[in-house]
Amino acid sequence: MAERKWYTPEEVREIVYDGLISIGTVRNMCLRGDIPCERLGSAIDGEGKPTRRRMLIPASFVKEMQRKAEGNSL
């Protein structure tokens, strides 16, 4: 199985923050730049209707946060 390169904000909420913060908080942290992320999709589709933008968070951030959490639990 190939190593993952990206996680969704929902997955990061569960993996990194153990569900202790809301998904809106994770997304706001992405928008502010506290969490690195790539935003995919366009704000307006071909018919002029708004579309949902997808945020993807690099696996390197998730691994780094897990290492920090393991270091703090010792």
Side-chain angles (χ1 to χ4, degrees):
M1 184 177 200
E3 186 175 331
R4 288 189 67 169
K5 295 182 181 182
W6 302 98
Y7 288 89
T8 64
E10 293 83 2
E11 292 170 322
V12 170
R13 175 181 178 249
E14 292 302 319
I15 295 169
V16 176
Y17 299 103
D18 294 326
L20 297 174
I21 62 175
S22 72
I23 190 61
T25 300
V26 174
R27 289 186 178 153
N28 285 336
M29 291 170 74
C30 287
L31 293 174
R32 281 195 317 254
D34 298 335
I35 296 175
C37 71
E38 291 289 325
R39 294 181 72 189
L40 306 176
S42 65
I44 305 294
D45 67 10
E47 299 175 4
K49 297 178 183 175
T51 61
R52 182 175 179 187
R53 287 189 173 188
R54 195 78 182 135
M55 293 181 185
L56 295 176
I57 299 164
S60 59
F61 170 79
V62 174
K63 289 177 186 174
E64 179 183 336
M65 294 304 287
Q66 287 176 321
R67 278 195 300 270
K68 286 182 180 181
E70 288 171 3
N72 289 339
S73 66
L74 296 177

